Short mmCIF file of all heavy atoms in Angstrom, two decimals:
data_model
loop_
_atom_site.label_atom_id
_atom_site.label_comp_id
_atom_site.label_asym_id
_atom_site.label_seq_id
_atom_site.Cartn_x
_atom_site.Cartn_y
_atom_site.Cartn_z
N GLY A 29 7.15 -56.16 -21.89
CA GLY A 29 6.65 -57.36 -22.56
C GLY A 29 5.14 -57.32 -22.75
O GLY A 29 4.52 -58.34 -23.09
N MET A 30 4.56 -56.17 -22.54
CA MET A 30 3.11 -56.00 -22.64
C MET A 30 2.82 -54.52 -22.71
O MET A 30 3.71 -53.71 -22.47
CB MET A 30 2.39 -56.62 -21.44
CG MET A 30 2.75 -56.00 -20.11
SD MET A 30 2.01 -56.83 -18.67
CE MET A 30 2.67 -58.48 -18.80
N PRO A 31 1.58 -54.14 -23.03
CA PRO A 31 1.25 -52.73 -23.09
C PRO A 31 1.42 -52.05 -21.71
O PRO A 31 1.30 -52.67 -20.67
CB PRO A 31 -0.23 -52.71 -23.50
CG PRO A 31 -0.48 -54.03 -24.13
CD PRO A 31 0.44 -54.99 -23.42
N TRP A 32 1.66 -50.73 -21.78
CA TRP A 32 1.85 -49.93 -20.57
C TRP A 32 0.73 -50.15 -19.56
O TRP A 32 0.98 -50.37 -18.37
CB TRP A 32 1.96 -48.44 -20.94
CG TRP A 32 1.99 -47.58 -19.73
CD1 TRP A 32 0.94 -46.93 -19.15
CD2 TRP A 32 3.13 -47.26 -18.92
NE1 TRP A 32 1.35 -46.24 -18.03
CE2 TRP A 32 2.71 -46.45 -17.87
CE3 TRP A 32 4.48 -47.61 -18.98
CZ2 TRP A 32 3.56 -45.94 -16.91
CZ3 TRP A 32 5.33 -47.11 -18.02
CH2 TRP A 32 4.87 -46.30 -17.00
N TRP A 33 -0.52 -50.07 -20.02
CA TRP A 33 -1.64 -50.14 -19.10
C TRP A 33 -1.71 -51.49 -18.40
O TRP A 33 -2.10 -51.55 -17.24
CB TRP A 33 -2.96 -49.80 -19.79
CG TRP A 33 -3.24 -50.60 -21.03
CD1 TRP A 33 -3.80 -51.85 -21.10
CD2 TRP A 33 -2.93 -50.22 -22.35
NE1 TRP A 33 -3.86 -52.26 -22.40
CE2 TRP A 33 -3.32 -51.27 -23.21
CE3 TRP A 33 -2.35 -49.07 -22.92
CZ2 TRP A 33 -3.17 -51.23 -24.58
CZ3 TRP A 33 -2.20 -49.05 -24.31
CH2 TRP A 33 -2.61 -50.11 -25.12
N ALA A 34 -1.33 -52.57 -19.09
CA ALA A 34 -1.33 -53.88 -18.45
C ALA A 34 -0.23 -53.96 -17.38
O ALA A 34 -0.47 -54.45 -16.27
CB ALA A 34 -1.16 -54.98 -19.48
N ALA A 35 0.96 -53.44 -17.71
CA ALA A 35 2.05 -53.41 -16.74
C ALA A 35 1.63 -52.58 -15.53
O ALA A 35 1.90 -52.96 -14.37
CB ALA A 35 3.30 -52.88 -17.38
N HIS A 36 0.99 -51.45 -15.78
CA HIS A 36 0.53 -50.59 -14.67
C HIS A 36 -0.44 -51.36 -13.79
O HIS A 36 -0.31 -51.35 -12.54
CB HIS A 36 -0.14 -49.33 -15.21
CG HIS A 36 -0.93 -48.58 -14.18
ND1 HIS A 36 -0.33 -47.95 -13.11
CD2 HIS A 36 -2.26 -48.41 -14.03
CE1 HIS A 36 -1.27 -47.41 -12.34
NE2 HIS A 36 -2.44 -47.68 -12.88
N ARG A 37 -1.41 -52.00 -14.37
CA ARG A 37 -2.44 -52.70 -13.57
C ARG A 37 -1.83 -53.82 -12.73
O ARG A 37 -2.22 -54.02 -11.59
CB ARG A 37 -3.51 -53.24 -14.50
CG ARG A 37 -4.34 -52.14 -15.13
CD ARG A 37 -5.25 -52.63 -16.24
NE ARG A 37 -5.98 -51.53 -16.83
CZ ARG A 37 -6.52 -51.56 -18.04
NH1 ARG A 37 -6.42 -52.65 -18.79
NH2 ARG A 37 -7.16 -50.51 -18.51
N LEU A 38 -0.87 -54.54 -13.28
CA LEU A 38 -0.21 -55.61 -12.54
C LEU A 38 0.71 -55.06 -11.46
O LEU A 38 0.70 -55.53 -10.30
CB LEU A 38 0.56 -56.54 -13.49
CG LEU A 38 -0.30 -57.34 -14.45
CD1 LEU A 38 0.57 -58.01 -15.51
CD2 LEU A 38 -1.13 -58.37 -13.72
N CYS A 39 1.52 -54.07 -11.81
CA CYS A 39 2.49 -53.53 -10.86
C CYS A 39 1.82 -52.79 -9.71
O CYS A 39 2.32 -52.85 -8.58
CB CYS A 39 3.48 -52.63 -11.58
SG CYS A 39 4.61 -53.53 -12.67
N ILE A 40 0.72 -52.11 -9.97
CA ILE A 40 0.05 -51.40 -8.88
C ILE A 40 -0.48 -52.39 -7.86
O ILE A 40 -0.41 -52.16 -6.65
CB ILE A 40 -1.06 -50.43 -9.39
CG1 ILE A 40 -1.57 -49.53 -8.26
CG2 ILE A 40 -2.25 -51.18 -9.94
CD1 ILE A 40 -0.63 -48.44 -7.88
N LYS A 41 -0.97 -53.52 -8.32
CA LYS A 41 -1.48 -54.54 -7.39
C LYS A 41 -0.34 -55.13 -6.55
O LYS A 41 -0.50 -55.36 -5.35
CB LYS A 41 -2.25 -55.62 -8.14
CG LYS A 41 -3.58 -55.11 -8.66
CD LYS A 41 -4.31 -56.14 -9.48
CE LYS A 41 -5.63 -55.53 -9.95
NZ LYS A 41 -6.32 -56.31 -10.92
N ALA A 42 0.79 -55.38 -7.19
CA ALA A 42 1.95 -55.90 -6.46
C ALA A 42 2.45 -54.84 -5.49
O ALA A 42 2.83 -55.18 -4.35
CB ALA A 42 3.04 -56.35 -7.41
N ALA A 43 2.50 -53.59 -5.89
CA ALA A 43 2.98 -52.53 -4.99
C ALA A 43 2.06 -52.35 -3.79
O ALA A 43 2.53 -52.13 -2.67
CB ALA A 43 3.09 -51.21 -5.76
N GLN A 44 0.77 -52.51 -4.01
CA GLN A 44 -0.18 -52.35 -2.90
C GLN A 44 -0.11 -53.50 -1.90
O GLN A 44 -0.52 -53.34 -0.76
CB GLN A 44 -1.60 -52.22 -3.45
CG GLN A 44 -1.85 -50.91 -4.18
CD GLN A 44 -3.16 -50.88 -4.93
OE1 GLN A 44 -3.74 -51.92 -5.27
NE2 GLN A 44 -3.63 -49.68 -5.22
N SER A 45 0.39 -54.64 -2.35
CA SER A 45 0.51 -55.81 -1.46
C SER A 45 1.94 -56.35 -1.56
O SER A 45 2.17 -57.54 -1.77
CB SER A 45 -0.48 -56.90 -1.89
OG SER A 45 -1.80 -56.42 -1.83
N TRP A 46 2.89 -55.41 -1.42
CA TRP A 46 4.29 -55.78 -1.67
C TRP A 46 4.76 -56.97 -0.86
O TRP A 46 5.40 -57.87 -1.39
CB TRP A 46 5.24 -54.58 -1.45
CG TRP A 46 6.64 -54.97 -1.72
CD1 TRP A 46 7.63 -55.20 -0.81
CD2 TRP A 46 7.21 -55.25 -2.99
NE1 TRP A 46 8.77 -55.59 -1.45
CE2 TRP A 46 8.55 -55.62 -2.81
CE3 TRP A 46 6.72 -55.23 -4.30
CZ2 TRP A 46 9.42 -55.96 -3.83
CZ3 TRP A 46 7.58 -55.56 -5.33
CH2 TRP A 46 8.91 -55.90 -5.11
N TRP A 47 4.47 -57.02 0.41
CA TRP A 47 4.98 -58.13 1.23
C TRP A 47 4.44 -59.46 0.72
O TRP A 47 5.14 -60.47 0.74
CB TRP A 47 4.71 -57.92 2.71
CG TRP A 47 3.27 -58.12 3.13
CD1 TRP A 47 2.29 -57.18 3.19
CD2 TRP A 47 2.67 -59.35 3.50
NE1 TRP A 47 1.10 -57.74 3.58
CE2 TRP A 47 1.31 -59.08 3.79
CE3 TRP A 47 3.13 -60.65 3.62
CZ2 TRP A 47 0.41 -60.08 4.20
CZ3 TRP A 47 2.23 -61.65 4.03
CH2 TRP A 47 0.89 -61.34 4.32
N GLN A 48 3.18 -59.49 0.28
CA GLN A 48 2.59 -60.73 -0.25
C GLN A 48 3.28 -61.12 -1.56
O GLN A 48 3.59 -62.29 -1.79
CB GLN A 48 1.11 -60.59 -0.44
CG GLN A 48 0.35 -60.47 0.85
CD GLN A 48 -1.11 -60.13 0.64
OE1 GLN A 48 -1.45 -59.36 -0.28
NE2 GLN A 48 -1.99 -60.69 1.45
N PHE A 49 3.48 -60.13 -2.43
CA PHE A 49 4.15 -60.42 -3.68
C PHE A 49 5.58 -60.90 -3.44
O PHE A 49 6.04 -61.88 -4.02
CB PHE A 49 4.15 -59.18 -4.60
CG PHE A 49 4.96 -59.35 -5.85
CD1 PHE A 49 4.55 -60.26 -6.82
CD2 PHE A 49 6.14 -58.66 -6.06
CE1 PHE A 49 5.30 -60.45 -7.99
CE2 PHE A 49 6.88 -58.83 -7.20
CZ PHE A 49 6.47 -59.73 -8.18
N GLU A 50 6.30 -60.22 -2.53
CA GLU A 50 7.67 -60.60 -2.25
C GLU A 50 7.73 -61.99 -1.62
O GLU A 50 8.61 -62.79 -1.94
CB GLU A 50 8.32 -59.56 -1.35
CG GLU A 50 9.82 -59.69 -1.30
CD GLU A 50 10.48 -58.48 -0.66
OE1 GLU A 50 9.84 -57.80 0.18
OE2 GLU A 50 11.63 -58.25 -1.01
N ALA A 51 6.79 -62.32 -0.77
CA ALA A 51 6.72 -63.65 -0.17
C ALA A 51 6.47 -64.70 -1.26
O ALA A 51 7.07 -65.79 -1.25
CB ALA A 51 5.64 -63.70 0.90
N TRP A 52 5.55 -64.38 -2.20
CA TRP A 52 5.28 -65.30 -3.31
C TRP A 52 6.56 -65.53 -4.12
O TRP A 52 6.88 -66.66 -4.49
CB TRP A 52 4.16 -64.76 -4.20
CG TRP A 52 3.84 -65.66 -5.35
CD1 TRP A 52 2.91 -66.66 -5.36
CD2 TRP A 52 4.48 -65.69 -6.62
NE1 TRP A 52 2.91 -67.30 -6.59
CE2 TRP A 52 3.88 -66.71 -7.38
CE3 TRP A 52 5.50 -64.93 -7.20
CZ2 TRP A 52 4.27 -67.00 -8.67
CZ3 TRP A 52 5.89 -65.23 -8.49
CH2 TRP A 52 5.28 -66.25 -9.23
N CYS A 53 7.28 -64.44 -4.38
CA CYS A 53 8.53 -64.54 -5.14
C CYS A 53 9.53 -65.44 -4.39
O CYS A 53 10.15 -66.32 -5.01
CB CYS A 53 9.17 -63.16 -5.36
SG CYS A 53 8.29 -62.16 -6.58
N ALA A 54 9.68 -65.23 -3.09
CA ALA A 54 10.61 -66.04 -2.30
C ALA A 54 10.21 -67.51 -2.33
O ALA A 54 11.07 -68.39 -2.50
CB ALA A 54 10.67 -65.52 -0.86
N ALA A 55 8.92 -67.77 -2.20
CA ALA A 55 8.43 -69.15 -2.23
C ALA A 55 8.63 -69.83 -3.58
O ALA A 55 8.71 -71.04 -3.67
CB ALA A 55 6.96 -69.19 -1.83
N ASN A 56 8.75 -69.00 -4.63
CA ASN A 56 8.90 -69.53 -5.98
C ASN A 56 10.32 -69.36 -6.53
O ASN A 56 10.54 -69.47 -7.74
CB ASN A 56 7.88 -68.88 -6.90
CG ASN A 56 6.49 -69.42 -6.64
OD1 ASN A 56 6.15 -70.52 -7.11
ND2 ASN A 56 5.69 -68.71 -5.86
N GLY A 57 11.26 -69.05 -5.63
CA GLY A 57 12.67 -69.01 -6.02
C GLY A 57 13.10 -67.79 -6.82
O GLY A 57 14.07 -67.85 -7.58
N MET A 58 12.36 -66.71 -6.69
CA MET A 58 12.73 -65.49 -7.42
C MET A 58 13.03 -64.37 -6.44
O MET A 58 12.27 -64.18 -5.48
CB MET A 58 11.59 -65.08 -8.34
CG MET A 58 11.90 -63.85 -9.15
SD MET A 58 10.47 -63.38 -10.15
CE MET A 58 10.81 -61.67 -10.34
N ASP A 59 14.09 -63.65 -6.68
CA ASP A 59 14.41 -62.47 -5.86
C ASP A 59 14.17 -61.23 -6.70
O ASP A 59 14.96 -60.94 -7.59
CB ASP A 59 15.86 -62.53 -5.40
CG ASP A 59 16.27 -61.35 -4.53
OD1 ASP A 59 15.42 -60.47 -4.29
OD2 ASP A 59 17.43 -61.30 -4.13
#
């Protein structure tokens, strides 16, 4: 839904802080 480089920049940040991202997802009703 966006250019490759934008997806890369967002996904790398989530991967580097996976537990925080996953916790945010859980708190917001997303698995």
